[in-house]
Structure formats: structure tokens, C-alpha cells
Amino acid sequence: MPTSRSSRSLLLLSTIVLLVGSNPPSPPCGESESVFDSRSQEKAFERLRLEMVRTQIQERDIADVTVLRAMQRVQRHEFVPPDLVPEAYEDRPLPIGYGQTISQPYIVALMTELLALKKHHKVLEIGTGSGYQAAVLAEIVDSVFTIEIVQALAGSAEQRLKRLGYDGINVRWADGYDGWQEHAPFDAVIVTAAAEHIPPPLLRQLKEGGRMVIPVGHPFFVQNLILVEKRAGKITTRTIAPVRFVPLTRQR
Ligand code: SAH
């Protein structure tokens, strides 16, 4: 039930505040207070993450274990602005600056599951934002290419991903409408901004048998999340769910 779920997450959030704010018991021998503090914080975040996956994702019928495991592993609190860290595991998108947002965890899981990824797949993401979705992809596949149009976001996401050890992710500052020709074709393409139509270059750069997920519709209203498949040179599309994304903008 929504009420019990939100009261449960409130409870967990207050746990984290308590853990962060109170004096922890003496650290084990040979460890400094600060190491102990940060370990107990990490444990508290991990509990929130497991709870997020159970209540927001599994309960909404995401069953692919590779996706669930990836969502359990990626430290979402590292991808949000410092003042929003206490809200990092809540059931909603959060602002990341420059008028952009990090998507709701469930939407990240749904889009990832729709791609039906295998470890050897090469994935292209349009709309790096914070880098969170790219990190989730990189927990599943060996190589991720991600393009961001806002230079400051591309720079900060690249640094963050490097710091967190995601070496298999390549970040580029560019207009993602044109895809990334040098590394094409891709087994999967994920667009995390709302497009008015499916960009033809992205269709061309999709491998035979490949999948693309993209929100399509009016940029300032509800869009449809579309699953695109390329089989025997033919494109098929399936509407999955109504969604709301920030617009896919173009570089002039
Ligand atoms: N996937 C992100 C959230 C996406 S928000 C995350 O996990 O945090 C959408 C992002 O798409 C924004 O950062 C926006 O700047 C970017 N964007 C919009 N139009 C774009 C374009 N044409 N090419 C590349 N990125 C674009």
C-alpha cells in the first residue's frame, strides 16, 4: 500500500539520519572513527537500496535478475546533488541542475529490462545526465557509450563515473541525435530524453536484432515509452507505458 510504503521509507530515512547524526559505538581496533562512520553510512545506504529494489521495482514486476542486481549495486546517492542525498532512494526523479533530472529508479529498471541485455552487448545511451543510468548499464554489459549535450553535465558525469570505477563507460559531449558513428552498430540504444520522433541516425546505428527504448511525444506533456526492434532490416515498434522526460534538445 502506498501509505505503508512511504512510511517505511520515512522510517528508513530517519534511520539514516540517526546513523549519520548520532555517535556510533567505538570502532573496532585499528580503525579510525571516520572509517567506521563512513562504513556505517554505506551500510545504511545499502539497506535503503535493497528496500528500493524490493518495494519500487520487484513489486512492479521487474524480474530480470541482472537488472535487479545492477540496481542493488549502483550507489544512487553518489549521483544526486549533496542536498538531495537523503532523498536518493525515493520513488521519484530528482533535479541534477541545468534543468535536468535523474530518472525515477523504476523507470531506469524498466528501460534497462526492455533492452534484454547480454554481457557482451555494446550499448549507446543518449542523455548521460548524472551518469546513473550508464552505471546501471555498465553493471550488466562490458561497454557503454553515452552522449550528453550539456557540457558541464558531461564533464561531471565522466569524473563521477571514473571515481566510482566505471571504466567501461565512454562519455562524450555532443548532440546525441546523430548517435556515435565510430562505435556503431550498437546492440542496444537507450534515449533518456523525450524525442518528437525516433532519430533516423539512431535507427541506422542499431544492430540487426537490436533493441532501442525511447520516450516519444510532445516534450512538455506525457510521452509514450516505445520499444523499437530491428529484425531482418524491418523496424517494429511497441508502446510500453506513458512516461515524462525532459526534452531531447538539438545543438544549433
Ligand atoms: N540518464 C540520465 C538522466 C537523463 S535526463 C541519468 O541517469 O541521470 C536527460 C538528459 O538528456 C539531460 O542531461 C539532457 O541534457 C540530455 N539531453 C537532452 N538532449 C540531448 C541530446 N540531443 N543529446 C544528448 N543529450 C541530451
Side-chain angles (χ1 to χ4, degrees), residues 79 96 98 100-103 108 125-134 147-150 153 174-177 192-193 245-251:
F79 293 82
I96 54 170
Y98 306 92
Q100 308 304 328
T101 55
I102 175 172
S103 306
V108 173
E125 179 195 25
I126 309 305
T128 315
S130 67
Y132 177 71
Q133 171 75 72
I147 305 178
E148 170 55 53
I149 203 167
V150 176
L153 286 175
D175 181 348
Y177 186 94
T192 62
F245 275 83
V246 295
L248 187 78
T249 53
R250 300 300 316 276
Q251 227 159 36

Side-chain angles (χ1 to χ4, degrees), residues 23 27 59 72 91 178 180 235:
N23 288 331
E59 277 189 18
Q72 284 171 344
D91 192 13
D178 300 316
W180 198 333
I235 300 296

Side-chain angles (χ1 to χ4, degrees), residues 79 135 138-139 158-169:
F79 293 82
E139 292 283 349
E158 186 170 27
Q159 278 180 15
R160 176 179 298 118
L161 291 165
K162 198 164 287 167
R163 176 169 60 78
L164 296 173
Y166 288 102
D167 301 327
I169 302 178

